[in-house]
């Protein structure tokens, strides 16, 4: 199942049931471990088909707050201690309306030892990180997070204000050393509307508009391609590492409404 297909089906369901369910949507707090396991098995089959997924405590780890301070802005760190073995990683937020939050596919210029991003969490939920290794096997880790309402939380400003400067990008680089990967933080101006947020003036739902593809390249080598959905927080911030080759980083982003943006960033020269 693609992210777009999962998004369309799940969002239609959640909007249809929101008015009836109301506060009951937060009832995920009372789900049993058996119910959560059954939910994950259903999601995993819809995304990965019949491929076996092994549990791991060494190939990928999730670091997330046990109780989120802001459900619309939950910081997530994915740590992959054996980066040379990692081909891709998928983040699944089981009880979000569109659980398949993002997939990162790494290229030869990537150093996927650590990846940071911010997400929306709509309910008390398990999160799963599933890595695909270079030999095509799948491994997963999970963490339970207490948060509620992140996908429908208003942005605190008008839609027009939220869309100002959409597509603007900035990038910060950590100090680089010869022969070492460089850590970078990419910031993109984009509201990433979930389709569940209500316009406080018109009382209508703001149509979903979110970054669905992001590609970062170093010269002619890919660092990563991200396929995203509504669970990525507004104004996405992604922290990653890459192997510099002296050439600028090229960033290309597109959203589900046809918007597209490109930007180039020059990494700092290595220091001894």
């Amino acid at each position: 199942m693609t992210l777009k297909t999962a998004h369309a089906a799940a969002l239609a369901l959640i909007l249809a049931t929101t008015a009836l369910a109301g506060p009951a949507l937060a009832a995920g707090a009372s789900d049993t471990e058996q119910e959560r396991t059954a939910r994950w098995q259903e999601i995993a089959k819809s995304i990965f088909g019949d491929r076996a997924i092994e549990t791991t405590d060494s190939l990928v780890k999730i670091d997330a707050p046990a109780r989120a301070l802001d459900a619309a802005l939950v910081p997530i760190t994915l740590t992959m201690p054996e980066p040379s073995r990692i081909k891709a990683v998928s983040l699944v937020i089981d009880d979000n309306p569109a659980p398949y939050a993002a997939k990162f596919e790494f290229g030869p210029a990537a150093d996927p030892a650590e990846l940071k991003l911010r997400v929306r969490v709509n309910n008390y939920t398990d999160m799963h990180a599933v890595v695909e290794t270079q030999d095509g096997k799948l491994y997963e880790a999970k963490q339970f997070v207490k948060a509620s309402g992140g996908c429908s939380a208003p942005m605190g400003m008008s839609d027009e204000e939220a869309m100002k400067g959409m597509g603007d990008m900035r990038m910060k680089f950590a100090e680089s050393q010869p022969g070492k990967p460089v850590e970078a933080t990419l910031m993109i101006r984009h509201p990433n509307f979930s389709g569940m947020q209500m316009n406080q003036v018109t009382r209508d739902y703001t149509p979903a508009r979110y970054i669905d593809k992001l590609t970062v390249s170093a010269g002619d080598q890919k660092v990563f391609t991200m396929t995203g959905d509504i669970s990525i927080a507004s104004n996405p911030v992604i922290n990653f590492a890459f192997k510099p080759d002296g050439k600028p980083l090229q960033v290309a982003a597109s959203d589900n409404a046809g918007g597209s943006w490109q930007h180039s960033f020059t990494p700092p020269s290595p220091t001894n």
Side-chain angles (χ1 to χ4, degrees):
M1 177 184 289
T2 65
L3 286 174
K4 286 187 176 181
T5 302
H7 166 79
L11 189 57
L13 175 61
I14 200 71
L15 290 177
T17 58
T18 295
L20 295 176
L25 286 176
S30 64
D31 287 350
T32 66
E33 184 64 26
Q34 184 177 11
E35 289 171 327
R36 294 189 186 285
T37 298
R39 168 73 168 147
W40 166 239
Q41 290 174 345
E42 180 183 347
I43 294 170
K45 185 174 180 60
S46 70
I47 297 173
F48 304 104
D50 294 325
R51 298 174 68 185
I53 307 176
E54 298 181 37
T55 300
T56 182
D57 58 4
S58 61
L59 288 176
V60 63
K61 301 177 182 178
I62 306 175
D63 183 12
R67 184 181 294 274
L69 296 176
D70 184 345
L73 204 65
V74 181
I76 303 296
T77 299
L78 302 178
T79 304
M80 290 159 278
E82 299 182 54
S84 63
R85 294 184 60 188
I86 306 303
K87 179 180 179 181
V89 61
S90 296
L91 178 64
V92 180
I93 306 173
D94 295 15
D95 288 293
N96 269 13
Y100 201 178
K103 180 179 182 180
F104 291 83
E105 297 176 89
F106 301 106
D111 177 52
E114 184 177 85
L115 188 67
K116 296 181 181 179
L117 67 160
R118 305 183 302 185
V119 299
R120 298 176 169 122
V121 178
N122 208 53
N123 204 350
Y124 285 32
T125 184
D126 281 337
M127 288 185 180
H128 285 84
V130 179
V131 292
E132 180 178 1
T133 53
Q134 297 292 348
D135 58 4
K137 295 181 180 179
L138 300 177
Y139 299 86
E140 60 102 354
K142 74 172 181 178
Q143 181 168 335
F144 183 71
V145 176
K146 295 180 179 179
S148 182
C151 292
S152 58
M155 294 188 64
M157 62 184 74
S158 68
D159 294 352
E160 292 75 15
E161 185 177 358
M163 294 174 69
K164 284 182 179 178
M166 189 163 58
D168 289 349
M169 301 183 198
R170 290 187 297 154
M171 189 176 291
K172 294 181 179 180
F173 296 97
E175 184 176 299
S176 62
Q177 298 178 354
K180 300 290 186 180
V182 177
E183 184 177 323
T185 302
L186 173 63
M187 296 157 279
I188 305 176
R189 177 79 174 174
H190 197 289
N192 263 23
F193 291 130
S194 68
M196 296 173 59
Q197 296 151 309
M198 182 176 288
N199 185 300
Q200 300 302 299
V201 176
T202 66
R203 310 303 292 175
D204 293 327
Y205 287 105
T206 301
R209 183 165 187 178
Y210 55 91
I211 291 176
D212 59 2
K213 189 171 184 179
L214 174 66
T215 300
V216 179
S217 301
D220 59 357
Q221 292 193 319
K222 183 172 75 174
V223 179
F224 68 82
T225 296
M226 183 200 81
T227 306
D229 209 288
I230 66 168
S231 292
I232 303 297
S234 61
N235 298 320
V237 176
I238 300 172
N239 183 277
F240 62 96
F242 67 99
K243 302 170 185 175
D245 64 355
K247 299 178 181 178
L249 283 188
Q250 306 292 334
V251 181
S254 61
D255 68 18
N256 67 314
S260 62
W261 306 271
Q262 296 82 36
H263 208 293
S264 178
F265 300 92
T266 301
S269 299
T271 57
N272 294 321

